[in-house]
Amino acid sequence: MTLWAHAQSAPTTPASASLAPTIAPTATAPAFKSLTPQQVDHVAALGQVWGFLKYFHPAVAVGQRDWDTEFLRQLPAVLACRSVAERSRLLNAWVTGLGPVPACPACAVPPATPVRLAPDLRWARDAKRFSAPLRQQLAFIAANRHQGASYYVEQNRANTVFPHEEAYAEPALPAQGLRLLGLCRYWNMLQYYYPYPYALEGEWARVLPDLLPRFAEATTPLAYRHAALALFARVHDGHARFYPPDPLLEAERGAYQVAADVQFIDRQAVVVRVRRDGLVPPSPLEPGDVLTHLAGTAVADLVKQRLPETGASNEAAQLNTIALNLLYTPTPQVALTVLRAGQPLRLVSPAVKVGSVPPVQPAVADSMYRFLTPEVGYIDMARIKGAKVPAIMQAFAHTKGIVVDQRNYPAEAILFYLSGFFIKQPVPFAKFTQRDPSYPGRFLWQPADTLKPVGTTPYTGKVIVLVNEVSRSLAEFTAMALQATPHGTLLGSQTAGADGNTTPITLPGGLKTLMTGIGVYYPDGRETQRIGLRIDVPVRPTIAGLRAGRDELRDRAVELILQAPAVAK
């Protein structure tokens, strides 16, 4: 079974779950306007120890205590500490009060499969922040950590799940203590259950001290959500975003949208499509226009403002997210300044009410596949259906090549099935890391996923897969599979660099987000996270090509197929 499979069954509940409280915590911390630098460090230390105990301490991990309430109970005393020594004594007494930790001989036994990632517990060894007795306590707990079923973390097939996290959905702006709790909850989930902490290049250690003041001082539901956006952006992962989209942020974005699509090319916001089907008021924008100002604000300033709150694995994917939201506006028309053929031009474009217009209708009756030339087939993965694949392959059986457009998200997860038509023997295409249930923070290598042949006569023409910054997650995984086939080629530009199963996370205020839960690599161990996929033929669209109405990636793919020597059937 592939590690990509998103299991739908409900997670099982540990036997100890009946011991855990099911009500919201009653303890509260006094309200304060801001945190001093010393208090920031105090709360960060509390959050780190609290999260460590949640996953490592045998008496806590089984769900015998209301651990959210414990955080809120400790918070006032921690805030009042006058020194690191006083804080350490407080935390030391708290840990001692949890009871003795029995010796765990099994904890020293090495895992049966190779280790890709060891737990990062450097914070717990910091002599400047924790006293020697407290450091010794934490080290002993790590060496004799909880084994067996955990109340707070479970495994649902390949997926990590956090089944018992209270949402505290009301009000939309939770109390200060709960906001700090939420930040610490998220930090520890990523600290121990995210497969790519090394890709953050040490930045994760700074997240708590950097963002605790912002979470503490948020005075409106929107300010709290923007603090969460800044948090998600620090993960540098395209899965770390609001999912589903947050209604308050959606409303802030604007109730109207210009009916056009934008793509950043060489850091310029370029119009790539304008809708003119009679269902929306026509916009004066044209493909190839470079947007320089929206409603009087420079696009460069908007990008600079939005980047720190735009979660993505790399800058190309960040700019794609900004592009998707760039033409939203609070009014039914918006003033724009563009460069058209190098000349500045001021325009006023109508905007349509979001959600009021039917989706674009395909130009071809069955546009999930068609012929680009008599010798070149085309598959649109955004519309692909597994049931159609045999007919598609039969139609393209005698072509020189197939262009697979993966500049989108696949309509169905058919990567194994589709790729099987292009191979005559099994082919490994990706390997994974998965969390070690016996040691939070440790990830182990898993067997590679392998493609298997479908039928007896594989397709032998070229298979060129189009990718760009829109290609994310399942799209990247699908492209990896097709690239592994004997005649598979990736053409385009850097992909989103966010591959792997996703784990839902809920924060106070009912905020919902995702975390990448497994690591995905090429079979030889090469990275995909943040970097994106290995591009065989780099091609980027140009402004001149857009103005001429060309799809330069698709045109180049057709050119390569037609230039290729014929392959014996």
Side-chain angles (χ1 to χ4, degrees):
M1 182 180 301
T2 172
L3 287 176
W4 184 263
H6 288 262
Q8 300 298 319
S9 57
T12 57
T13 302
S16 60
S18 60
L19 299 175
T22 57
I23 60 173
T26 57
T28 59
F32 44 86
K33 290 185 178 180
S34 61
L35 293 170
T36 67
Q38 185 181 53
Q39 287 176 321
V40 167
D41 186 54
H42 288 340
V43 179
L46 170 64
Q48 289 172 311
V49 173
W50 172 82
F52 171 83
L53 297 173
K54 180 177 184 177
Y55 300 126
F56 282 76
H57 197 289
V60 179
V62 294
Q64 292 181 348
R65 295 170 181 264
D66 184 342
W67 207 235
D68 285 358
T69 294
E70 282 292 316
F71 178 91
L72 296 176
R73 283 177 177 156
Q74 297 298 327
L75 185 57
V78 166
L79 286 169
C81 287
R82 291 166 294 182
S83 66
V84 170
E86 183 179 355
R87 181 185 74 203
S88 289
R89 289 193 295 272
L90 177 69
L91 296 177
N92 181 268
W94 180 39
V95 176
T96 301
L98 297 174
V101 174
C104 174
C107 291
V109 177
T113 56
V115 175
R116 171 62 182 91
L117 180 67
D120 183 2
L121 297 175
R122 288 174 294 177
W123 65 268
R125 298 190 293 269
D126 188 345
K128 294 181 179 179
R129 299 182 67 235
F130 302 102
S131 66
L134 181 55
R135 298 198 308 274
Q136 292 167 5
Q137 274 185 314
L138 300 178
F140 184 83
I141 294 169
N144 299 276
R145 60 197 172 273
H146 170 72
Q147 301 291 287
S150 171
Y151 179 70
Y152 295 106
V153 188
E154 295 177 2
Q155 195 74 16
N156 190 1
R157 298 186 184 179
N159 294 352
T160 300
V161 290
F162 302 108
H164 298 115
E165 298 292 351
E166 176 61 50
Y168 311 117
E170 298 294 339
L173 178 65
Q176 282 177 324
L178 284 176
R179 299 201 299 274
L180 300 183
L181 165 72
L183 174 57
C184 293
R185 175 193 292 179
Y186 186 87
W187 189 90
N188 284 286
M189 287 174 168
L190 272 289
Q191 175 75 3
Y192 300 114
Y193 298 103
Y194 183 59
Y196 302 115
Y198 56 87
L200 302 181
E201 300 172 349
E203 184 182 357
W204 198 240
R206 292 295 314 162
V207 166
L208 286 178
D210 286 352
L211 291 181
L212 278 166
R214 188 164 178 181
F215 272 71
E217 296 163 17
T219 57
T220 67
L222 265 177
Y224 173 49
R225 280 151 179 78
H226 279 282
L229 286 175
L231 171 62
F232 302 157
R234 296 290 288 269
V235 185
H236 302 292
D237 188 324
H239 288 141
R241 55 197 168 96
F242 277 100
Y243 187 83
D246 182 83
L248 292 179
L249 290 170
E250 294 280 286
E252 181 190 44
R253 184 176 62 171
Y256 297 87
Q257 183 181 18
V258 177
D261 293 328
V262 175
Q263 182 179 4
F264 277 89
I265 299 175
D266 297 328
R267 292 188 66 86
Q268 297 183 97
V270 183
V271 177
V272 294
R273 281 176 294 275
V274 182
R275 185 165 177 175
R276 292 193 175 98
D277 56 8
L279 298 177
V280 298
S283 171
L285 290 171
E286 293 181 2
D289 284 348
V290 178
L291 288 166
T292 61
H293 292 77
L294 284 87
T297 302
V299 170
D301 291 339
L302 290 173
V303 171
K304 185 177 180 180
Q305 170 192 332
R306 296 179 184 183
L307 277 175
E309 294 186 6
T310 302
S313 301
N314 51 54
E315 187 182 74
Q318 278 186 301
L319 292 175
N320 175 61
T321 298
I322 292 173
L324 292 173
N325 294 284
L326 198 58
L327 291 179
Y328 282 82
T329 174
T331 58
Q333 63 179 23
V334 60
L336 306 169
T337 303
V338 305
L339 289 177
R340 181 174 294 171
Q343 299 299 314
L345 182 64
R346 293 183 177 180
L347 306 170
V348 175
S349 176
V352 294
K353 192 79 172 177
V354 173
S356 67
V357 180
V360 175
Q361 295 302 307
V364 182
D366 190 3
S367 66
M368 80 174 67
Y369 73 102
R370 61 183 182 272
F371 285 89
L372 299 178
T373 78
E375 294 181 292
V376 180
Y378 172 85
I379 298 175
D380 182 357
M381 294 299 290
R383 295 175 53 79
I384 194 71
K385 300 294 181 184
K388 278 282 192 179
V389 170
I392 293 173
M393 296 310 302
Q394 183 176 4
F396 294 158
H398 302 291
T399 58
K400 290 189 67 175
I402 301 172
V403 178
V404 180
D405 200 336
Q406 192 55 96
R407 297 171 293 179
N408 48 49
Y409 196 84
E412 291 184 2
I414 62 162
L415 62 146
F416 290 95
Y417 186 45
L418 177 61
S419 300
F421 284 87
F422 304 131
I423 57 176
K424 61 181 179 181
Q425 59 188 19
V427 176
F429 76 99
K431 63 189 301 185
F432 308 91
T433 60
Q434 193 170 340
R435 75 178 185 94
D436 181 350
S438 71
Y439 202 163
R442 186 161 71 185
F443 278 76
L444 308 176
W445 284 113
Q446 303 298 310
D449 256 5
T450 300
L451 305 173
K452 297 179 180 179
V454 175
T456 57
T457 307
Y459 178 83
T460 55
K462 290 188 71 67
V463 179
I464 298 186
V465 186
L466 308 183
V467 295
N468 63 7
E469 64 272 19
V470 179
S471 311
R472 179 176 65 188
S473 195
L474 180 56
E476 292 179 285
F477 201 57
T478 302
M480 287 178 71
L482 294 169
Q483 185 180 31
T485 62
H487 306 293
T489 298
L490 257 58
L491 183 151
S493 56
Q494 184 179 32
T495 60
D499 212 344
N501 290 13
T502 56
T503 293
I505 292 176
T506 301
L507 301 179
L511 307 189
K512 296 183 181 299
T513 184
L514 299 172
M515 179 190 79
T516 301
I518 63 171
V520 179
Y521 303 80
Y522 278 102
D524 60 4
R526 278 181 294 176
E527 299 278 349
T528 64
Q529 183 69 13
R530 296 191 69 173
I531 298 169
L533 302 184
R534 187 189 73 245
I535 305 300
D536 300 308
V537 182
V539 180
R540 288 281 290 169
T542 66
I543 294 174
L546 290 168
R547 288 187 58 80
R550 301 198 309 270
D551 184 337
E552 292 167 286
L553 274 68
R554 191 176 63 194
D555 291 349
R556 179 62 176 147
V558 172
E559 180 183 323
L560 290 174
I561 289 171
L562 295 179
Q563 289 175 350
V567 178
K569 301 291 182 180

